[in-house]
Amino acid sequence: MKNILLKLLKNKFKCSHKNALTNTQEGYCPDCGEYLEKNYYIIRCKSCDIKREAKLHFGEIIPKDRYCSNCGGRDYYIEKLDKINFIDASYAVYLKEAVNSYKTHHFDTQVWVDKENQILKQITASCWS
């Protein structure tokens, strides 16, 4: 019970990205400015490899049912998909996840003065000669 309360409090102050990625696969969140990607996940049974329906429980992807309807196995693994098929849509869960800093933009200004000074010297020398 204590862990559930801690997870609730931790997620309460986090941006939920509700307004982000409505029509695209990646982009910036208009609420917090974080760069996000939409990722799809499918749960499969470990023993028979059949697709199982998934749900989100406090940000964690888990199967809807405890046991596989095909073999009765309890173990599962999560498969990440780049694109989703029409057939997989009922089984898949999608998350809006923040991308590492390699997608962020760094605005740097660089100035080279040496070449400009030489051009100015040539212009002033040609004007006075």
Side-chain angles (χ1 to χ4, degrees):
M1 183 70 177
K2 186 179 179 182
N3 290 337
I4 294 172
L5 289 174
L6 287 174
K7 285 183 183 180
L8 278 173
L9 288 174
K10 183 179 178 184
N11 291 334
K12 184 179 180 180
F13 300 110
K14 216 177 189 184
C15 182
S16 61
H17 310 301
K18 287 182 182 177
N19 300 323
L21 305 180
T22 53
N23 298 327
T24 60
Q25 292 287 42
E26 58 183 40
Y28 289 98
C29 176
D31 299 327
C32 67
E34 230 176 345
Y35 193 81
L36 304 171
E37 273 185 352
K38 192 184 291 185
N39 294 318
Y40 297 94
Y41 296 95
I42 289 183
I43 290 183
R44 291 187 177 268
C45 179
K46 260 192 181 176
S47 55
C48 67
D49 205 40
I50 197 168
K51 295 176 203 168
R52 296 175 65 181
E53 288 189 48
K55 67 178 182 178
L56 280 174
H57 184 68
F58 294 111
E60 187 177 341
I61 303 169
I62 59 171
K64 281 189 176 179
D65 302 322
R66 285 188 182 190
Y67 301 100
C68 177
S69 60
N70 190 40
C71 69
R74 190 173 177 145
D75 295 332
Y76 63 91
Y77 67 94
I78 300 171
E79 182 180 347
K80 182 179 177 181
L81 301 174
D82 295 331
K83 294 182 180 178
I84 190 163
N85 298 330
F86 178 72
I87 298 167
D88 297 334
S90 61
Y91 296 101
V93 171
Y94 80 91
L95 293 175
K96 299 173 187 176
E97 297 176 322
V99 180
N100 293 340
S101 63
Y102 70 89
K103 291 271 187 179
T104 59
H105 300 288
H106 299 285
F107 298 104
D108 294 333
T109 304
Q110 296 180 353
V111 178
W112 292 276
V113 187
D114 293 339
K115 189 120 180 151
E116 189 175 298
N117 284 340
Q118 290 174 0
I119 293 171
L120 286 174
K121 285 179 185 176
Q122 289 174 357
I123 292 172
T124 54
S126 65
C127 289
W128 293 107
S129 57

